Amino acid sequence: RALSSLTVKASDAKVTAMTSASSIVEIEARRTTVAAELEAKELDAESLQETLNDYTAMLKDATGRTEELTNAVRGYGMRLDARRKKQEEARQNKLTLDAEERIRRARLLEELERNLEGFAQSVKVVMREANRGVLQGILGPVSRIFKVPGEYAVAIETALGAAMQNLVVETEEDAKRAIALLKRRDGGRATFLPVSTIRGNVLNEPGLENCAGFVGIARSLCRCETRYDGILNSLLGRIAIAEDLDSAVAIAKRYRYRFRVVTLDGQVVNTGGSLTGGSLARNSGLLSRAVEIEAIQKEAAQLKEKALAARNDFRAAQQETAAAEAELSGARGELSNA
């Protein structure tokens, strides 16, 4: 009996030994893995420490540069105020002459607009035949179907690109007839947008409106007749407008470059992450021209009516400008803190 009991205990001990040996192997393997991970983390820590040192130095340089620029801005502000005061009297005396000059400028631009200056030959052919009654259902180029405030003209013009010369038509049949005419006359190529079929959707990204520097969806910055909503959504519904290139890059990066972002001065962060930019010729585009005509006509009328009270208006404008600059400065401070 004793031998039997001891035999049972020996078997249990062997099982325990085997289980323990297996656990030891697993623990050793895990210990090896942890050691490797620890070594990798230590290397990462060294690399991050070097990066931190570099950024600390860069921050110090940037802080010094910020102080220099702050002083420079103050100096430029004082110089600007002095020049405004010096030029005020001469400017008031020229108001009436300026009004006449603006009227002449508006007439010149209107003539260019009537002659479709700047449009492709194909667009001119179609519009000419539409005016003669040969073609039906031609509503005009995209640049003429909606209105844009002057401060957004460059951004919207950039967002549209060549699409500004696309021709809006009532139906697909109208587009087919126009294309057939261009083929017969070797008049070139044009893109047609039938009101009856073109649709589009508008960006609806969560949190987009709260992004620093975000101005709005390009489509929301334009005005048009309700029947053109589909075309406007198709062309501008998925393009965001930002104040500057830094804001545009930050917004595009946050949303993984799923849509284009255009700045107020015409720089572009494209879908996928590429950037397009540089200088632009002011008021050289088709949309800018239409905006300029409207702005000049309005300005000339106002100048004629208010020439006698121009001095007070100018002083009020100075105060409004100062207030706007203060608000802009505050907004930039908040943006910097963010």
Side-chain angles (χ1 to χ4, degrees), residues 218-232:
R219 189 263 173 271
S220 67
L221 304 178
C222 307
R223 307 186 309 274
C224 69
E225 295 179 22
T226 304
R227 64 172 175 162
Y228 298 132
D229 283 348
I231 290 174
L232 212 54

Side-chain angles (χ1 to χ4, degrees), residues 142-143 146 155-164 232 235-236 239 260 287:
V142 165
S143 62
F146 57 86
I156 299 301
E157 194 168 88
T158 303
L160 285 170
M164 279 193 301
L232 212 54
L235 295 174
L236 298 173
I239 299 175
R260 275 202 301 162
L287 188 57

Side-chain angles (χ1 to χ4, degrees), residues 253-268:
K253 186 175 182 180
R254 175 175 176 177
Y255 292 96
R256 299 181 182 276
Y257 305 99
R258 290 195 297 267
F259 51 87
R260 275 202 301 162
V261 185
V262 180
T263 67
L264 293 176
D265 65 348
Q267 318 306 319
V268 184

Side-chain angles (χ1 to χ4, degrees), residues 55-69:
Y55 281 138
T56 299
M58 291 169 63
L59 178 60
K60 183 178 180 181
D61 292 341
T63 301
R65 180 59 176 161
T66 300
E67 293 176 355
E68 293 177 4
L69 290 173

Side-chain angles (χ1 to χ4, degrees), residues 212-215 241-251 261-269 328 332 335:
F214 175 73
V215 176
I241 304 300
E243 291 179 355
D244 50 46
L245 189 56
D246 289 339
S247 301
V249 170
I251 292 170
V261 185
V262 180
T263 67
L264 293 176
D265 65 348
Q267 318 306 319
V268 184
V269 181
L328 178 60
R332 284 177 174 168
L335 176 59

Side-chain angles (χ1 to χ4, degrees), residues 45-331:
E46 293 177 2
S47 176
L48 288 171
Q49 185 60 48
E50 292 178 0
T51 302
L52 176 59
N53 294 338
D54 291 341
Y55 281 138
T56 299
M58 291 169 63
L59 178 60
K60 183 178 180 181
D61 292 341
T63 301
R65 180 59 176 161
T66 300
E67 293 176 355
E68 293 177 4
L69 290 173
T70 300
N71 293 332
V73 167
R74 290 198 188 99
Y76 284 128
M78 294 174 63
R79 186 183 304 175
L80 179 60
D81 289 340
R83 289 182 177 176
R84 281 177 174 169
K85 290 177 182 178
K86 184 177 180 180
Q87 293 175 1
E88 181 177 351
E89 184 177 352
R91 187 178 300 177
Q92 302 311 318
N93 293 333
K94 289 176 58 181
L95 279 175
T96 303
L97 294 176
D98 286 346
E100 297 299 325
E101 179 61 30
R102 282 164 172 73
I103 291 173
R104 285 193 292 270
R105 171 69 175 166
R107 287 172 180 166
L108 172 62
L109 291 174
E110 286 173 340
E111 184 67 23
L112 294 176
E113 189 73 3
R114 278 194 298 271
N115 295 332
L116 294 169
E117 192 67 27
F119 284 90
Q121 181 62 28
S122 57
V123 176
K124 293 180 179 180
V125 170
V126 171
M127 291 303 297
R128 184 165 56 246
E129 297 307 317
N131 292 334
R132 291 173 53 195
V134 176
L135 292 174
Q136 302 298 321
I138 307 299
L139 301 175
V142 165
S143 62
R144 292 184 176 181
I145 70 169
F146 57 86
K147 301 290 185 181
V148 182
E151 61 268 30
Y152 305 133
V154 173
I156 299 301
E157 194 168 88
T158 303
L160 285 170
M164 279 193 301
Q165 300 207 25
N166 292 354
L167 286 161
V168 180
V169 296
E170 291 282 6
T171 66
E172 290 178 309
E173 294 303 318
D174 297 324
K176 290 178 182 178
R177 285 191 290 270
I179 290 172
L181 182 142
L182 288 174
K183 288 178 64 178
R184 288 196 307 271
R185 299 192 182 180
D186 195 23
R189 299 170 64 85
T191 299
F192 296 85
L193 307 176
V195 173
S196 60
T197 59
I198 295 293
R199 298 291 180 270
N201 53 19
V202 180
L203 275 176
N204 187 24
E205 295 286 355
L208 180 58
E209 65 278 3
N210 297 323
C211 291
F214 175 73
V215 176
I217 303 302
R219 189 263 173 271
S220 67
L221 304 178
C222 307
R223 307 186 309 274
C224 69
E225 295 179 22
T226 304
R227 64 172 175 162
Y228 298 132
D229 283 348
I231 290 174
L232 212 54
N233 290 343
S234 174
L235 295 174
L236 298 173
R238 296 193 58 79
I239 299 175
I241 304 300
E243 291 179 355
D244 50 46
L245 189 56
D246 289 339
S247 301
V249 170
I251 292 170
K253 186 175 182 180
R254 175 175 176 177
Y255 292 96
R256 299 181 182 276
Y257 305 99
R258 290 195 297 267
F259 51 87
R260 275 202 301 162
V261 185
V262 180
T263 67
L264 293 176
D265 65 348
Q267 318 306 319
V268 184
V269 181
N270 298 294
T271 304
S274 62
L275 276 71
T276 303
S279 62
L280 294 171
R282 288 189 175 274
N283 300 324
S284 60
L286 304 176
L287 188 57
S288 296
R289 184 169 67 197
V291 171
E292 187 182 2
I293 290 173
E294 183 178 355
I296 288 176
Q297 289 174 336
K298 186 181 296 185
E299 186 180 6
Q302 291 173 346
L303 284 172
K304 278 189 170 183
E305 294 174 359
K306 299 180 180 180
L308 296 178
R311 186 178 298 276
N312 291 335
D313 290 344
F314 183 72
R315 288 174 180 170
Q318 278 186 314
Q319 293 174 356
E320 293 173 359
T321 300
E325 288 173 349
E327 292 174 352
L328 178 60
S329 177

